[in-house]
């Protein structure tokens, strides 16, 4: 280990510390120098690769086709759909299979999410091995190792949620040829709980973009919130207690403006508990491109950006048409209406309506208008073709003027509004799904900022709260944030609810987890396929 030399680039420092420009630079250090002078202040830089891996949840060049946590968990739900438009966005039918729940063991999204998670786990295991054998002051090492344990636990939380029964790999220095066996979901659940409980008290109290004490506390609450689905055991009081710990700390609060949580410079929002840090200059290897996925390619002229767009995913009509007309979260989350050539570069006349290209003859001569409804041009065909303007587009994360093809907005993984919702849900379930003033009060605390005139008609009433309404409240507040599939499963309607072209007739619970990918089964004969899916 004395021969190891750690070289941390400027990009790694940016990924680790977001906007902290006071980090020490390590480009000419020997391993002895590095370890002898290592302090707690050096931990963010040392774990740069860990937080780079965290960004694979939502960022990357082709994650819309190869799979990432954000895209997969939203596309399989009732709020986000990617229809084919003018010959584009079919990509072998992957988006239709995800939204209609007909995925298979060969699909790229199934393999992509698996490999991203295990690559991140391998990073944690490697750093645990290297720093575990390094001569570092005990206190600094203890804190660094604790952060690694919680970071790794998060990825097992993701795997437990998406795949259920998965290999549990905790060592980097394994024998040549060693292959892991499948561990049952309960073992993964218990491992995640223990890792967080054993290590969260050692974490820094609050560190933006890092696994600090309160981010770990929220992660543990999330694990317990889903325990009834995952292992058949309920931990509602534990969820309440953990949420209260975050609430009572006074470290976080609801942002007064919903949109401010997602603006370009959103790092100062009091609501964000954990974020993935992004930078349009330094993050070209893992670009945050949610804006490209959704807007029409000529949106550039409407919004005056440097980048063109790809024109894919949008809101399902079911979600778009469900908002209260006075709910400002619709406008804050989705773009609706006609597009204009505000730059004058497309038509030569600034302010002129933009017309469809068209890619499909049915769009010939039509103004380009984002609509809530999504007509299907070829019913019965697998491509599910629709028009260029069909579907309101994702607009939650601010797209600044002159935006490039990657965003600097930090991606919100955990936020305070969800703490209030989790507490409300745990109390509601603990109370036999019977609402009271405390439960609806927590939800109304979040609803309040979405209405200019929050009168009794806009308040959630005790008599209105049931499974369907709770899910709607989650959708209106947290759309496009990566949690929808988990919410639908927890409320028992993931396979049975009808939306867009998802028929909602299946009650087959095996769809609540994804299959083990074919490539992984071929590479490791010890892996067991999840029930209901073919072995090979």
């Amino acid at each position: 280990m004395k021969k190891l030399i750690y070289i941390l680039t400027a990009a790694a420092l940016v990924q680790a510390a977001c906007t902290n420009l006071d980090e020490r630079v390590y480009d000419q250090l020997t391993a002895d120098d590095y370890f002898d002078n290592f302090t707690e202040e050096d931990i963010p830089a040392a774990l740069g690769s860990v937080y780079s891996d965290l960004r694979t949840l939502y960022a990357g060049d082709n994650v819309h086709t190869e799979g990432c946590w954000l895209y997969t968990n939203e596309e399989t739900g009732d709020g986000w759909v990617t229809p084919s438009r003018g010959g584009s966005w079919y990509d072998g039918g992957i988006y239709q299979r995800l939204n209609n729940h007909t995925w298979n063991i060969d699909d790229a999204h199934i393999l992509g999410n698996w490999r991203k998670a295990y690559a991140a786990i391998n990073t944690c295991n490697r750093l645990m091995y290297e720093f575990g054998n390094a001569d570092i002051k005990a206190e600094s090492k203890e804190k660094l190792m604790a952060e690694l344990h919680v970071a790794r636990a998060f990825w097992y939380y993701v795997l437990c949620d998406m795949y259920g029964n998965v290999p549990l790999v905790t060592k980097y220095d394994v024998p040549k040829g060693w292959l892991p066996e499948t561990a049952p979901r309960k073992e993964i659940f218990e491992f995640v709980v223990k890792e967080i409980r054993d290590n969260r008290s050692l974490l820094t109290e609050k560190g933006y973009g890092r696994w600090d004490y309160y981010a770990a506390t929220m992660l543990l609450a999330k694990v317990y919130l889903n325990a009834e689905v995952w292992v058949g055991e309920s931990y509602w009081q534990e969820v309440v207690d953990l949420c209260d710990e975050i609430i009572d700390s006074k470290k976080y609060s609801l942002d007064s403006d919903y949109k401010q949580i997602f603006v370009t410079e959103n790092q100062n929002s009091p609501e964000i508990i954990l974020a993935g840090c992004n930078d349009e200059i330094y993050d070209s290897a893992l670009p945050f491109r949610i804006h490209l996925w959704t807007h029409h390619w000529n949106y550039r002229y409407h919004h005056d950006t440097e980048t063109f767009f790809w024109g894919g995913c949008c809101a399902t009509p079911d979600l778009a048409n469900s908002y209260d007309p006075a709910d400002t979260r619709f406008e804050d989350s989705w773009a609706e209406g006609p597009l204009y050539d505000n730059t004058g570069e497309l038509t030569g006349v600034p302010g002129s309506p933009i017309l469809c290209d068209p890619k499909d003859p049915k769009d010939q001569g039509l103004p380009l208008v984002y609509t809530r409804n999504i007509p299907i041009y070829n019913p019965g065909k697998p491509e599910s073709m629709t028009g260029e303007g069909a579907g309101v587009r994702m607009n939650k994360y601010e797209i600044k003027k002159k935006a490039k093809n990657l965003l600097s907005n930090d991606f919100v993984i955990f936020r305070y509004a969800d703490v209030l919702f989790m507490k409300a849900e745990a109390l509601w379930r603990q109370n036999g799904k019977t609402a009271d003033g405390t439960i609806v009060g927590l939800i109304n605390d979040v609803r309040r900022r979405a209405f200019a005139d929050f009168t009794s008609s806009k308040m959630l009433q005790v008599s209105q709260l049931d499974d369907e309404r709770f899910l709607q409240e989650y959708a209106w507040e947290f759309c496009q944030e990566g949690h929808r599939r988990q919410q639908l499963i927890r409320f028992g309607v993931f396979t049975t609810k009808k939306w867009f072209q998802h028929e909602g007739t299946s009650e087959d619970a095996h769809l609540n987890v994804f299959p083990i990918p074919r490539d992984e089964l071929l590479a490791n004969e010890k892996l067991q396929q999840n029930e209901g899916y073919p072995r090979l």
Side-chain angles (χ1 to χ4, degrees), residues 238-307:
E238 285 82 352
V239 175
V240 172
D241 292 343
L242 290 163
C243 290
D244 277 341
E245 193 172 346
I246 298 171
I247 294 166
D248 294 343
S249 75
K250 310 289 187 191
K251 301 288 184 183
Y252 305 92
S253 61
L254 293 173
D255 204 307
S256 59
D257 184 347
Y258 185 77
K259 194 66 179 178
Q260 288 300 307
I261 309 166
F262 308 99
V263 295
T264 302
E265 300 296 332
N266 61 342
Q267 66 271 13
N268 293 319
S269 171
E271 189 159 332
I272 298 175
I273 295 176
L274 178 67
C277 299
N278 302 302
D279 188 284
E280 66 180 14
I281 303 300
Y282 295 107
D283 291 338
S284 58
L286 281 171
F288 182 31
R289 287 179 168 166
I290 193 171
H291 58 322
L292 303 193
W293 300 343
T294 185
H295 279 289
H296 188 277
W297 39 97
N298 285 334
Y299 186 74
R300 172 187 183 183
Y301 305 108
H302 177 82
H303 197 64
D304 189 17
T305 63
E306 291 184 13
T307 186

Side-chain angles (χ1 to χ4, degrees), residues 409-429:
N409 319 51
D410 292 343
F411 180 77
V412 181
I413 299 170
F414 292 157
R415 60 186 175 98
Y416 185 71
D418 203 7
V419 174
L420 301 183
F421 265 67
M422 288 194 298
K423 180 179 177 180
E425 183 183 338
L427 289 171
W428 181 66
R429 293 185 184 280

Side-chain angles (χ1 to χ4, degrees), residues 388-418:
E388 290 179 28
V392 294
R393 307 308 168 88
M394 297 188 296
N395 214 43
K396 195 167 197 172
Y397 282 91
E398 178 192 29
I399 305 170
K400 68 179 183 180
K401 298 296 183 183
K402 303 299 183 182
K404 302 178 187 299
N405 63 358
L406 62 166
L407 297 178
S408 288
N409 319 51
D410 292 343
F411 180 77
V412 181
I413 299 170
F414 292 157
R415 60 186 175 98
Y416 185 71
D418 203 7

Side-chain angles (χ1 to χ4, degrees), residues 462-480:
V462 169
S463 61
Q464 294 174 315
L465 190 60
D466 56 15
D467 279 47
E468 183 178 359
R469 180 58 184 268
F470 217 134
L471 266 178
Q472 287 291 80
E473 293 290 345
Y474 267 117
W476 297 326
E477 179 66 25
F478 301 103
C479 65
Q480 306 172 36

